[in-house]
């Protein structure tokens, strides 16, 4: 009998699950927030993912629920589990991607290396942390931030006064301002049975708080770095009981530590390279994992794959009209777009290029992506 997989959220991550679902013989269905979203090809329902009855109705017609994002409220998730629905990842795991303070506390319990951190409720508490950590810190809203939103580097407690006012007594998260040489990401896939596989650790390049480029595998990665990153990923995946894809964003510090920055429990921008560069792409792997099917190989198909995000899109014309020139000039490039209208800073697609020479691969990927701007 065909397994029916329901995806809550109609964004580009759900969109990119559609093709592998068809190839795996799965029946994929999407609860989209609005008409015309990226995953509209599989949108069987449109509604508010925060409304229990809407989500309950959607869940009643599928065998397993998974997600395009981490924003479904805990009370909705726990009601589905109480109804007997298969939810992967479940609420007990997702809480650590939904609330950064909860995440930090759990990672501390697991003994995972991370920046020094604390909950702070006013400017005075924040100032004390800053004074104890070299005169600077990173303040984050515990819930809802992504792509650079909800993150602020501060040198005084007063710089977060507006956030404390908005928090109305709830704590913000403050972290030490880490001196790092680069950012990395480690992906793990885990089935409900507990089986796990790890992808190669990759280097991510952020611009204005948004992932711009990914190099897979991370260049100049020592055996120690590769081993430590994978151990961290596996410890977290098992320790929080995640099912599906887990992305662990990491700092490689100037003093050669590997520290956990943030978590995502779904396919992630840092894994888009795997669509074309790994034996099993992250979207297929996520579906395998949540359906409790055998996991696929994670080995790179070629020595290097580089992913470049298309941010904003063309100022004139459409993305569609850029395909033919890009394919003509760079036939080795794999182009993925999200069905989104161009808008400054918006992720509207990405380009993957694989090959033997890293410099050539980086040049070609950047050149191909630039033709969509």
């Amino acid at each position: 009998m065909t397994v029916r997989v329901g995806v809550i959220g109609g964004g580009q991550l759900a969109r990119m699950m559609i093709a592998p679902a068809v190839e795996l013989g799965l029946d994929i269905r999407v609860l989209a927030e609005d008409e015309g979203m990226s995953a509209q090809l599989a949108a069987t329902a449109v509604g508010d993912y925060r409304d229990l009855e809407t989500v309950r109705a959607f869940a009643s017609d599928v065998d397993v629920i998974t997600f395009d994002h981490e924003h479904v409220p805990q009370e909705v998730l726990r009601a589905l589990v109480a109804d007997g629905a298969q939810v992967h990842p479940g609420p007990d795991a997702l809480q650590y991607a939904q609330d950064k303070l909860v995440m930090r506390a759990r990672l501390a319990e697991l003994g995972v290396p991370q920046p020094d951190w604390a909950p702070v409720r006013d400017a005075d508490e924040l100032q004390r942390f800053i004074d104890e950590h070299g005169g600077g810190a990173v303040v984050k809203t515990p819930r809802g931030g992504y792509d650079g939103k909800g993150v602020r580097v501060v040198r005084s407690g007063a710089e977060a006064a507006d956030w404390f006012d908005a928090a109305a007594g709830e704590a913000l998260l403050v972290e030490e301002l880490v001196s790092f040489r680069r950012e990395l990401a480690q992906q793990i896939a885990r089935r409900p049975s507990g089986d796990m596989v790890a992808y190669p650790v990759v280097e991510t390049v952020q611009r204005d708080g948004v992932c711009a480029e990914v190099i897979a595998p991370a260049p100049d990665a020592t055996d120690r770095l590769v081993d430590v990153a994978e151990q961290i990923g596996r410890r977290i995946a098992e320790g929080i009981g995640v099912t599906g894809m887990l992305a662990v964003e990491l700092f490689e510090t100037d003093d050669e530590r590997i520290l956990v920055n943030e978590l995502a429990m779904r396919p992630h921008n840092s894994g888009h390279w795997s669509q074309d560069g790994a034996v099993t792409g992250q979207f297929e792997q996520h579906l395998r994992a949540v359906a409790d099917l055998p996991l696929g190989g994670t080995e790179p198909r070629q020595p290097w794959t580089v992913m470049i995000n298309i941010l904003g899109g063309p100022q004139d014309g459409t993305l569609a009209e850029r395909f033919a020139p890009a394919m003509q000039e760079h036939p080795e490039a794999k182009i993925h777009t999200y069905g989104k209208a161009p808008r400054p800073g918006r992720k509207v697609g990405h380009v993957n290029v694989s090959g033997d020479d890293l410099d050539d691969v980086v040049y070609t990927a950047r050149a191909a992506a630039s033709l969509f701007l």
Side-chain angles (χ1 to χ4, degrees), residues 288-321:
R288 286 178 178 233
V290 301
D292 208 12
L293 297 170
L295 299 174
T298 58
E299 303 82 6
R301 291 184 177 275
Q302 295 198 52
W304 301 103
T305 297
V306 171
M307 187 283 307
I308 308 291
N309 270 330
I310 302 170
L311 298 173
Q315 296 183 6
D316 299 306
T318 65
L319 284 166
E321 65 192 27

Side-chain angles (χ1 to χ4, degrees), residues 5 16 71 77 81-82 85 91 108 132 146-147 149 155 161 187 189 193 218 225 244 248 289 298 300 321 346 353 366:
V5 178
M16 288 184 277
H71 305 315
L77 297 172
V81 172
E132 294 167 1
Y146 66 96
D147 285 347
K149 300 178 179 67
R155 303 289 175 182
Q187 284 193 300
S193 61
L225 185 154
V248 183
T298 58
E321 65 192 27
R346 191 182 205 187
V353 176
R366 288 175 178 170

Side-chain angles (χ1 to χ4, degrees), residues 168-351:
E170 295 294 321
L172 300 179
L173 169 64
V174 61
E175 299 174 353
E176 68 171 299
L177 187 57
V178 175
S179 179
F180 61 90
R181 60 181 297 259
R182 61 177 172 175
E183 294 186 65
L184 305 168
Q186 174 67 63
Q187 284 193 300
I188 302 289
R190 183 175 182 271
R191 295 170 63 182
S193 61
D195 292 342
M196 285 188 283
V197 293
Y199 282 83
V201 63
V202 302
E203 179 175 343
T204 66
V205 179
Q206 317 293 319
R207 296 198 182 99
D208 298 324
V210 178
C211 180
E213 302 183 3
V214 174
I215 303 174
D220 303 317
T222 63
D223 290 343
R224 171 188 170 276
L225 185 154
V226 171
D227 184 57
V228 169
E230 182 173 334
Q231 286 184 23
I232 289 171
R234 288 179 177 271
R235 187 185 305 175
I236 293 171
E238 185 171 7
I240 65 178
V242 71
T243 45
M245 291 297 304
L246 168 71
V248 183
E249 298 180 57
L250 301 163
F251 295 125
E252 182 183 5
T253 68
D254 292 340
D255 57 0
E256 299 185 345
R257 293 177 296 158
I258 307 297
L259 304 178
V260 176
N261 181 17
E262 296 190 359
L263 307 178
M265 296 176 200
R266 49 173 169 74
H268 189 255
N269 204 162
S270 65
H272 289 353
W273 71 274
S274 66
Q275 281 179 290
D276 307 298
V279 171
T280 309
Q282 66 166 344
F283 299 99
E284 176 184 339
Q285 195 79 278
H286 184 73
L287 291 166
R288 286 178 178 233
V290 301
D292 208 12
L293 297 170
L295 299 174
T298 58
E299 303 82 6
R301 291 184 177 275
Q302 295 198 52
W304 301 103
T305 297
V306 171
M307 187 283 307
I308 308 291
N309 270 330
I310 302 170
L311 298 173
Q315 296 183 6
D316 299 306
T318 65
L319 284 166
E321 65 192 27
R322 306 297 179 96
F323 268 84
M327 290 189 286
Q328 178 68 36
E329 292 190 34
H330 304 288
E332 64 273 62
K334 305 293 285 186
I335 303 162
H336 305 267
T337 55
Y338 306 155
K340 292 182 172 182
R343 189 175 70 201
R346 191 182 205 187
K347 293 177 183 176
V348 296
H350 67 272
V351 172

